[in-house]
Structure formats: C-alpha cells, structure tokens
Amino acid sequence: MNILLKKMSEKEFTIYFEDKVERYSYVLSENVHEVNSEAPLSKARKQLNNLLPKGIETSNHHLFNIYEDDLLIGFIWIKLEKEKKSAFLYEIFIFEENRGKGFGTRVMKNVEEWLEQEGIYYFKLHVFGRNEGARKLYEELGFEIAGINMLKTIN
C-alpha cells in the first residue's frame, strides 16, 4: 500500500471545490449554532471563495488528491506560512469506503515529513467537537488542544 499526494489540476480543483462547498455547508448546518439569515450553502461558498480567492493558484495553499497506489481515496488541503514556520490543515477528507483502514494516519505522517522538509515547526488545525473520529485521529498523532469554544443553548 503506497500513499501518494498528487497536486490537483485546475479541472480536479473545480470538481473538488464544488464537492467541498456541499460538504462544508452540511458541516456548518450541523455545527454553527447561531441565528443567521444566510443559508449554509451560500455561507459555505462565500467562506471558501474568501479562503481561495485565486482558486488552486491561491498562494501558500496546497491542495492534493490522495492516492493509494492508483486509487483516488481522498483530498487534503494545507496552507503554509513559512515566515511563521507554521502550517494549517484546512481539510483531510478520506472517502467513506476507505475510512478506518489507517489511511488518515499514513497521510498525516507523510504530510508531517513534507512539512519538516519545508522547515515548518507548527502544524495547526480546527476540528468540531462532534467530530469524534477526527479528534481521535489527531490526538493519536500528537496534536494537543490549543483552545476550546464552548456553547450552551438557552431556552
């Protein structure tokens, strides 16, 4: 089993972006607890367009397809801030049928090796509290809690 990260082409990015908008709008609808007149789909598209104003050509953003041998199994999106010696994981997404097989761990270890070669000291990410599978993976990889948002529903 060989894991390969391959930079997305413009066409692959376009397909990824539309899929990401859909998935992110669902995450927002499940995890953002506020009254907002903007629909989750619209909010997701706006936020992602703000993060990637030049699409795949947005500087410092690296978007890869994840392959196991010749099979596409997911995507990963990372932003490097070399002057801060820091990277931020926007997304690691392993297709449902490939989850629970150790791919996430192997991909993250490959990414850590790449970041080390790039001179990066800090690898950061955000995970929603309800995403127990991702939290477990990150904790097993040595990520520590840097802050906690809390919520209480009134009424």
Side-chain angles (χ1 to χ4, degrees):
M1 288 196 254
N2 186 30
I3 295 293
L4 175 69
L5 303 181
K6 183 181 170 200
K7 184 176 172 159
M8 286 181 194
S9 68
E10 183 73 40
K11 183 178 177 183
E12 290 167 332
F13 172 77
T14 301
I15 294 165
Y16 164 79
F17 188 83
E18 289 307 314
D19 181 64
K20 175 64 179 168
V21 168
E22 290 283 334
R23 288 185 289 106
Y24 188 47
S25 70
Y26 175 76
V27 168
L28 289 175
S29 69
E30 293 292 309
N31 293 285
V32 175
H33 306 284
E34 58 190 29
V35 176
N36 191 334
S37 61
E38 189 172 18
L41 190 62
S42 172
K43 186 173 182 175
R45 184 172 303 282
K46 183 190 299 182
Q47 287 182 0
L48 291 169
N49 277 321
N50 285 339
L51 290 170
L52 295 165
K54 295 182 180 175
I56 192 121
E57 299 300 325
T58 303
S59 63
N60 303 318
H61 288 259
H62 302 269
L63 294 109
F64 300 98
N65 290 320
I66 304 167
Y67 288 91
E68 191 243 342
D69 295 322
D70 292 332
L71 179 67
L72 179 65
I73 62 167
F75 314 108
I76 190 161
W77 170 15
I78 300 165
K79 180 181 181 185
L80 297 185
E81 292 186 84
K82 288 192 174 187
E83 64 284 351
K84 295 180 180 180
K85 300 202 178 295
S86 145
F88 187 85
L89 176 70
Y90 277 99
E91 176 174 52
I92 179 173
F93 182 76
I94 304 294
F95 299 143
E96 185 95 27
E97 63 272 17
N98 296 303
R99 294 182 189 160
K101 299 178 181 177
F103 291 127
T105 299
R106 289 177 37 222
V107 168
M108 291 294 283
K109 289 186 179 200
N110 286 359
V111 168
E112 285 180 32
E113 290 172 10
W114 172 60
L115 294 175
E116 189 174 349
Q117 291 170 0
E118 293 290 322
I120 301 298
Y121 295 163
Y122 307 104
F123 192 16
K124 302 179 285 187
L125 58 86
H126 172 269
V127 62
F128 285 107
R130 292 183 180 177
N131 193 344
E132 293 176 16
R135 286 180 36 216
K136 182 177 183 278
L137 168 65
Y138 301 139
E139 288 169 1
E140 287 173 357
L141 289 168
F143 283 83
E144 300 172 4
I145 294 173
I148 298 175
N149 292 330
M150 298 179 79
L151 167 77
K152 178 179 180 181
T153 302
I154 307 296
N155 209 355

